Amino acid sequence: MNPFDYRRASSVEEAVALAKAPDAAFIAGGTNLLDLMKGGVTTPAVLIDVSRLALADITELPDGGVRIGAMVPNADAANHPLVRQRYPLLSQALLAGASPQLRNKATIGGNLLQRTRCYYFYDTAFEHCNKRAPGSGCAAIDGYNRNHAILGASSSCIATNPSDMSVALAALRATVRVQGPGGARAIPMQDFHRLPGANPERDTTLIPGELITAVDLPRSAFSRHAHYLKVRDRASYAFALVSVAAALDLRDGMVQDAALALGGVAHKPWRVPQAEAMLIGHPLDQSALQAAADAALLGAHPYEHNRFKLALAKHAVVRAFSVAGGIA
Ligand code: SF4
């Protein structure tokens, strides 16, 4: 591991000021960052410890929504009564991630920032990785690409975002609150992560020095009919090959509103408003779900080792909505 300076921030303002140092990085739970540092993938010169900031509360918002502080551990968020009752989709997604030990340590802010699990990104013996070394190429495109993207990839990078939580937050239309050198701002979840384009080294739209302070969930009608389906190689402690966050506002068998986002298929949680719109105003049945699943995967481009993801993702969309709507 490279030598680094360690600073502990006592306020959000101090953390943002400290982050002006060259090659500074925030650290809270450290469950991803420390692995990256040990492997030489990331080499920050200064670590700014934000784990003790007063950002660890879950509170009700005046409009009926809920705010989750950035330092809330994943396990605490998953098991909080407000989250379990109003946002079971988020609770399920959080509990599908990692292991109990990691969920106790990892924070909500850190989960939003966890980096791809592309094998070539983590193994510095591979020279060609545009995300780790911009301009070096992409070993995955013509290499082993089983866990890679089938949507929204570029000729520079075909990596996927590994976060289960982020898929649920995208479906639930959450907002990420940040504080940085330019002040505070709120970023809609669908704009928080970015597609790789020509700059896959950037995972998010955060400006350098910005610190995540909270995630806001809007008032939701998806509390009764929600299901997070994660398909993976083993039953626990594995990243998604494909995941689906599906939720419905169902009244008298008619879909009033629908929420859909896919994980494991793109560089960001893949929210599909067109597929959601196809379900709204109709009874929930298998043919409607199949049409929505087809729409959700429009434009998919699989690679040599992940062709199975296309059919798998469509089946997962149908299955997740069927379970959510009680017609499975
Ligand atoms: Fe690197 Fe992205 Fe290619 Fe993986 S897919 S090797 S992260 S550039």
Side-chain angles (χ1 to χ4, degrees):
M1 192 186 285
N2 66 302
F4 59 89
D5 194 11
Y6 171 86
R7 308 291 298 273
R8 182 183 295 162
S10 55
S11 69
V12 169
E13 292 72 23
E14 185 185 4
V16 171
L18 288 169
K20 289 180 180 152
D23 293 326
F26 296 120
I27 186 165
T31 56
N32 188 202
L33 181 59
L34 288 179
D35 280 347
L36 293 165
M37 289 175 65
K38 286 181 202 167
V41 179
T42 303
T43 54
V46 186
L47 281 187
I48 302 159
D49 185 346
V50 293
S51 64
R52 293 169 208 204
L53 298 183
L55 299 171
D57 292 325
I58 297 178
T59 51
E60 214 169 345
L61 296 169
D63 64 358
V66 168
R67 175 166 295 166
I68 305 176
M71 297 305 139
V72 174
N74 285 200
D76 290 9
N79 293 307
H80 194 283
L82 279 174
V83 176
R84 289 173 65 106
Q85 288 159 15
R86 298 188 189 178
Y87 309 98
L89 187 65
L90 176 59
S91 181
Q92 291 171 31
L94 282 163
L95 293 174
S99 65
Q101 293 90 339
L102 287 168
R103 293 196 291 269
N104 284 337
K105 191 71 183 158
T107 62
I108 295 298
N111 193 328
L112 280 165
L113 297 177
Q114 63 174 304
R115 308 210 68 189
T116 184
R117 263 57 184 187
C118 171
Y119 338 105
Y120 304 105
F121 175 67
Y122 277 79
D123 191 340
T124 55
F126 287 98
E127 188 184 337
H128 305 297
C129 173
N130 286 322
K131 189 178 278 295
R132 173 165 38 80
S136 63
C138 173
I141 290 177
D142 295 319
Y144 187 57
N145 40 43
R146 183 169 183 267
N147 76 356
H148 289 73
I150 59 172
L151 287 158
S154 74
S155 58
S156 295
C157 179
I158 61 171
T160 53
N161 183 297
S163 169
D164 293 296
M165 178 194 77
S166 294
V167 183
L169 290 180
L172 291 167
R173 300 150 201 179
T175 301
V176 181
R177 303 183 69 84
V178 305
Q179 176 107 20
R185 65 184 181 119
I187 309 170
M189 193 57 200
Q190 69 266 23
D191 300 330
F192 182 78
H193 295 99
R194 56 186 298 285
L195 293 178
N199 298 99
E201 70 277 12
R202 291 177 53 217
D203 294 342
T204 71
T205 54
L206 284 174
I207 294 164
E210 280 187 323
L211 175 71
I212 298 170
T213 55
V215 171
D216 285 357
L217 290 153
R219 185 187 187 93
S220 175
F222 299 125
S223 60
R224 293 185 58 211
H225 302 285
H227 188 62
Y228 185 73
L229 177 61
K230 180 174 181 178
V231 184
R232 47 187 159 174
D233 282 326
R234 55 175 186 260
S236 71
Y237 199 38
F239 293 97
L241 291 166
V242 166
S243 70
V244 177
L248 295 160
D249 177 9
L250 261 184
R251 284 176 239 168
D252 301 323
M254 296 288 286
V255 178
Q256 309 295 320
D257 199 358
L260 171 65
L262 287 89
V265 294
H267 200 255
K268 60 186 288 185
W270 196 256
R271 178 149 176 254
V272 196
Q274 305 90 313
E276 294 170 349
M278 290 171 70
L279 298 173
I280 297 169
H282 301 285
L284 191 70
D285 60 38
Q286 294 297 322
S287 65
L289 289 177
Q290 191 58 59
D294 290 342
L297 273 297
L298 270 182
H301 175 84
Y303 292 83
E304 183 179 357
H305 304 103
N306 69 2
R307 296 188 202 288
F308 68 94
K309 280 195 179 187
L310 182 53
L312 181 63
K314 290 183 182 182
H315 288 311
V317 169
V318 173
R319 176 73 185 168
F321 271 123
S322 298
V323 173
I327 60 167

